[in-house]
Amino acid sequence: MTTPASSSDLELTVASSGLALAKSIYDRRGIVVVRGLLDADVVGHALETLRKLLAARAAAVGIDGLADASAHELINALQARDRRYVMDVIRIGKDLPEFYGTFTHPGLLKFAKTLVGSDILQCVHDIAQIRIDPPDDAVRNFDWHQDFHYNLTSENAVTAWFPLSPIDRDMGQLVVAPGSHRALAKVQLDRRTHVPGQGTTHATVKFQVDLAALEAGAIELDIVEPGDVAFFDCKLLHRSGLNRSDRSRIVFNPRYGNALDPAVVGRGWSCMRDKTQDLLEALYPELLEAPSPKA
Ligand SMILES: O=C(O)CCC(=O)C(=O)O
């Protein structure tokens, strides 16, 4: 694996760019960061919409006086009552036309189409898409993984990962292993203690990867600011960092697959959705290893 010295080796600016440069960085590293792709009003509108949902949920559960509070203050107040209230907002967010508007932003689609190599993209709306990682809440933290196994769209799908508010060092940057995107990893599945609806599906899939080698070649993605978009291959290994600040990490991460991929078309576009989470066993039995005995 070739590892860049720093995350800045992965970036380009929209002005300087060109899709061809983005594609060549992406093909080699499995990831490219396009700076300034989304205008401030696009990001600001998404954050304000989320803030209004949080304020409405807070009022509904009897938290008063926060109608004009920031998204961060509202998340902290809701989280202090019950972390499921924040999950409610993540879930309703995926139903809003505003969010479809963000995920169909022309700049995002232009890069996604080039990186995936297709004019027609599949964006599964009910898995992932919106993340809120409150302070010191590791429940939804992802260990090393590839996104492919959670969506099962085309094997060359791309994730577009972009923050709605700044992510400082102490907020747990995304950690990536550039160059790790060449093959699908084997996994163990363990859903024995899984409770659907808690946002913890990720923990049921254990990636069989060499953790020491990944950590040795890993970099923190510390260059992504609101307006920037990190595009990464669905086979790129990456993990969350722990948020040790007093503010939340608020991120959108839609995934785009090739809707014309023959394998995907051949199975009638079956993919993993909230209600079809057993599809990995059915479609990719060769990626499964026997589950570890229960601790
Ligand atoms: O933002 C993060 O911490 C990781 C996001 C991620 O890998 C995912 O949601 O699949």
Side-chain angles (χ1 to χ4, degrees):
M1 170 161 66
T2 52
T3 307
S6 82
S7 51
S8 61
D9 295 354
L10 304 172
E11 71 181 300
L12 56 88
T13 59
V14 167
S16 73
S17 74
L19 294 166
L21 176 56
K23 176 97 170 101
S24 80
I25 298 174
Y26 180 85
D27 285 346
R28 268 182 302 124
R29 307 295 203 192
I31 176 166
V32 63
V33 176
V34 183
R35 294 183 73 86
L37 183 60
L38 305 172
D39 290 338
D41 60 338
V42 172
V43 176
H45 179 65
L47 184 59
E48 176 57 11
T49 305
L50 215 46
R51 196 201 67 78
K52 285 180 181 161
L53 295 172
L54 291 161
R57 193 70 183 114
V61 299
I63 302 173
D64 297 322
L66 290 185
D68 298 321
S70 71
H72 297 285
E73 291 165 325
L74 285 158
I75 294 165
N76 289 351
L78 285 165
Q79 183 82 358
R81 284 282 181 91
D82 189 330
R83 64 179 301 280
R84 284 174 297 185
Y85 294 147
V86 177
M87 281 305 302
D88 293 338
V89 171
I90 291 175
R91 221 172 282 113
I92 180 63
K94 299 176 192 185
D95 291 348
L96 300 189
E98 271 71 15
F99 290 94
Y100 295 116
T102 310
F103 299 153
T104 56
H105 179 278
L108 277 182
L109 294 188
K110 184 174 72 170
F111 277 89
K113 286 179 180 180
T114 299
L115 300 176
V116 165
S118 174
D119 263 358
I120 306 188
L121 299 174
Q122 177 180 18
C123 182
V124 181
H125 80 280
D126 54 349
I127 298 256
Q129 312 279 29
I130 299 173
R131 282 190 75 88
I132 297 177
D133 290 288
D136 287 321
D137 179 44
V139 178
R140 297 190 66 233
N141 259 35
F142 260 95
D143 285 335
W144 285 105
H145 69 285
Q146 297 172 326
D147 284 348
F148 172 78
H149 302 60
Y150 298 97
N151 291 102
L152 301 180
T153 61
S154 67
E155 292 182 15
N156 72 342
V158 61
T159 296
W161 185 96
F162 53 96
L164 302 189
S165 64
I167 301 182
D168 300 332
R169 282 208 94 85
D170 59 348
M171 293 174 75
Q173 307 279 359
L174 189 68
V175 180
V176 300
S180 63
H181 62 297
R182 305 284 175 206
L184 289 170
K186 303 246 180 185
V187 295
Q188 291 179 350
L189 287 183
D190 188 352
R191 300 206 179 96
R192 285 172 295 185
T193 54
H194 179 55
V195 181
Q198 307 285 306
T200 52
T201 301
H202 62 288
T204 66
V205 188
K206 306 261 183 261
F207 281 74
Q208 304 302 293
V209 289
D210 182 342
L211 295 180
L214 284 172
E215 292 292 347
I219 55 170
E220 281 195 355
L221 208 59
D222 53 4
I223 52 172
V224 188
E225 292 170 7
D228 303 339
V229 179
F231 290 96
F232 52 87
D233 190 296
C234 69
K235 300 180 293 309
L236 184 85
L237 285 153
H238 59 287
R239 67 165 174 80
S240 306
L242 186 59
N243 183 358
R244 294 197 172 79
S245 74
D246 58 1
R247 288 179 307 127
S248 293
R249 212 153 55 82
I250 305 175
V251 170
F252 282 2
N253 59 351
R255 292 97 188 261
Y256 305 95
N258 175 5
L260 300 180
D261 181 298
V264 180
V265 181
R267 60 176 186 254
W269 292 278
S270 287
C271 61
M272 203 115 105
R273 298 182 185 278
D274 250 357
K275 294 190 170 47
T276 56
Q277 292 188 9
D278 50 1
L279 212 57
L280 184 55
E281 296 95 311
L283 292 183
Y284 282 86
E286 73 278 13
L287 291 183
L288 298 190
E289 296 196 334
S292 322
K294 196 170 179 183

